[in-house]
Amino acid sequence: MASTGAGYDLSPTTFSNDGRIFQVEYATKAVENSGTTIGIRCSDGVVLGVEKLLTSKMLLKSSNRRVATLDAHCGLVLCGLAADGRQIVGRARDECSNYDEVYGDKIPPRVLAARLADYVHYFTIHGALRPFGTASMIAGYDPCTKTHELYAVEPSGVCLRYFGCALGKGRQSAKSEIEKLDLSTLTCKDALREIAKMIHTVHDESKDKPFALEMAWLTKDTGFEFALVPDDLVQEAEAWAKAKLEEDDDDDDDDDDAEMTPAPPTDAASPS
Amino acid sequence: MAVAYSGGVIMGADSRVSTGTYVANRVSDKVTAIHDKIYLCRSGSAADTQAVSDYVRHYLGAHAIECGRPPLVKTAANLCKRICYANKDRLLASVIVAGVDPYEGGSVYVIPLGGTCAKVPFAIGGSGSTYIYGHVDHVYRPDMTKAECVDFVKTAVERAMARDGSSGGIIRLVDISAEGVQRDFVVVN
């Protein structure tokens, strides 16, 4: 423990000299290394999409779901450690049914997200516990105010409401793509395609493991009930995204051909 | 008793509290507030119903703060039901929960002795109510105006007070609507 700060990363109950809690930051890292996860609040509902990385070719594509239904009117998508996420899903379902039992009505998404954040936060203030390596995005419909909302709960216990949100590996470019969309007029059907395109863009086929695109939504058309997006719609969105990307690629190639001679070696300095 | 009209509710009750044959209070208030615009008509044991309404007021207040908005009348009724049902062997409490919320307007819920909870267009309860079932069923119409509802409650409670020995005193009236709450009382000779 020679340098300052060393040794302060063993427990979430100890601050470092400059006021950080390293265990929580490491947990956030687990989320940042996970498959890209996108949530968009559209004019007529909320759409969630996730790049579910498949560890083996023999895996059933529908196994190890990253989206979960919590109640008829809300659901979430996980980003980070899947096993930690199941704990969050279990707690979220308990909160939904408990609220209904006590107050006789569906839990407002804002309350659900806040309660879930309280739960996650608890794991950052006890020495015997490890923070969750999982962030979640909650899509919910409030039957009282007739509004649909999107929230994200981070491993630190922070809970924020979003119009559009991205987590995981490709979050930076996904966020800048979401910012280009007009979310006040975008419909869920269009958002499916946009999300598919974003995830296919950030996914590097040569480097990354193969993935399954998992999408769930909560729209006016489905009576604001949270559900997995039907397979044919996902496939249609993916086909559209791939075609669009290829189109863009071709355009780029044309530009390249016009102005370029053989590509100069970019990493000549690197030893091989 | 309580009646819902378009946009609000009218609640009414007599004012007699008796211990055996002795009238302990002739001007009591059995229409109790549990939130800004949700009230409770209490009947049965005064001690029990006061205790229940105190709990419900506490939980409902905490709930309104958590949600950051006015609670539903349905939620108030559900909290009441949970307490009445869980302690049914120990309580003598039957209540009517009524009021307004911004989402469903005026609504009335009745919670009789066993702890059932039902949404109704109007409700009567307490010892005097048995005398006026025929009267209220005969007179009640859906879509009555506010003035008609006030009159309906007034005459029904008056009839019950005249027949029932355990009811009497004055008629307390509460009008709850989105605009606010107005209290009134009628002295019957």
Side-chain angles (χ1 to χ4, degrees), chain B:
Chain B
M1 69 180 289
V3 201
Y5 63 87
S6 163
V9 290
I10 303 289
M11 299 175 82
D14 72 305
S15 65
R16 181 169 294 179
V17 174
S18 38
T19 45
T21 55
Y22 182 70
V23 177
N25 188 349
R26 63 193 180 97
V27 284
S28 73
D29 187 3
K30 297 191 232 181
V31 189
T32 313
I34 49 174
H35 200 79
D36 295 357
K37 285 176 183 173
I38 304 173
Y39 280 62
L40 210 64
C41 274
R42 300 182 289 116
S43 70
S45 156
D48 289 357
T49 51
Q50 274 177 14
V52 170
S53 56
D54 285 351
Y55 274 112
V56 174
R57 192 178 305 114
H58 168 77
Y59 286 125
L60 202 60
H63 169 66
I65 291 167
E66 187 187 21
C67 286
R69 63 189 190 204
L72 297 165
V73 181
K74 180 168 54 170
T75 296
N78 200 71
L79 285 169
C80 227
K81 177 204 75 179
R82 272 172 68 84
I83 295 169
C84 290
Y85 181 70
N87 304 289
K88 63 192 293 182
D89 299 341
R90 284 171 283 182
L91 290 175
L92 192 84
S94 102
V95 294
I96 299 167
V97 183
V100 292
D101 57 59
Y103 324 105
E104 287 173 30
S107 36
V108 175
Y109 289 85
V110 61
I111 303 162
L113 239 41
T116 317
C117 181
K119 190 178 198 290
V120 286
F122 75 95
I124 53 174
S127 62
S129 67
T130 49
Y131 297 93
I132 56 166
Y133 270 95
H135 170 75
V136 292
D137 285 345
H138 182 70
V139 174
Y140 178 79
R141 282 179 295 106
D143 305 322
M144 286 198 289
T145 64
K146 180 169 148 179
E148 285 173 320
C149 285
V150 172
D151 199 50
F152 175 54
V153 172
K154 236 189 255 180
T155 44
V157 176
E158 192 184 332
R159 292 295 90 219
M161 283 160 66
R163 284 287 175 188
D164 180 28
S166 310
S167 301
I170 59 171
I171 302 171
R172 294 214 180 262
L173 291 166
V174 180
D175 166 28
I176 310 169
S177 68
E179 284 75 49
V181 181
Q182 271 186 316
R183 276 185 171 276
D184 195 10
F185 66 90
V186 184
V187 181
V188 199
N189 293 309

Side-chain angles (χ1 to χ4, degrees), chain A residues 153-176:
Chain A
V153 175
E154 292 165 26
S156 60
V158 158
C159 165
L160 295 165
R161 184 175 167 194
Y162 288 98
F163 289 111
C165 178
L167 297 167
K169 249 183 231 153
R171 67 193 176 285
Q172 295 296 0
S173 62
K175 273 182 197 168
S176 55

Side-chain angles (χ1 to χ4, degrees), chain A residues 30-38 50-53 66 78-80 167-170:
Chain A
V31 175
E32 288 170 0
N33 293 332
S34 180
T36 310
T37 308
I38 298 170
V50 57
E51 169 199 16
K52 184 172 74 181
L53 296 170
R66 283 199 168 252
L78 298 164
C79 185
L167 297 167
K169 249 183 231 153

Side-chain angles (χ1 to χ4, degrees), chain A residues 150-199:
Chain A
L150 170 69
Y151 292 88
V153 175
E154 292 165 26
S156 60
V158 158
C159 165
L160 295 165
R161 184 175 167 194
Y162 288 98
F163 289 111
C165 178
L167 297 167
K169 249 183 231 153
R171 67 193 176 285
Q172 295 296 0
S173 62
K175 273 182 197 168
S176 55
E177 284 302 310
I178 296 172
E179 281 169 19
K180 288 179 197 158
L181 303 171
D182 179 8
L183 299 181
S184 59
T185 55
L186 188 79
T187 63
C188 288
K189 286 256 166 69
D190 296 334
L192 286 182
R193 296 174 159 194
E194 295 296 342
I195 290 175
K197 191 178 152 206
M198 286 176 217
I199 287 179

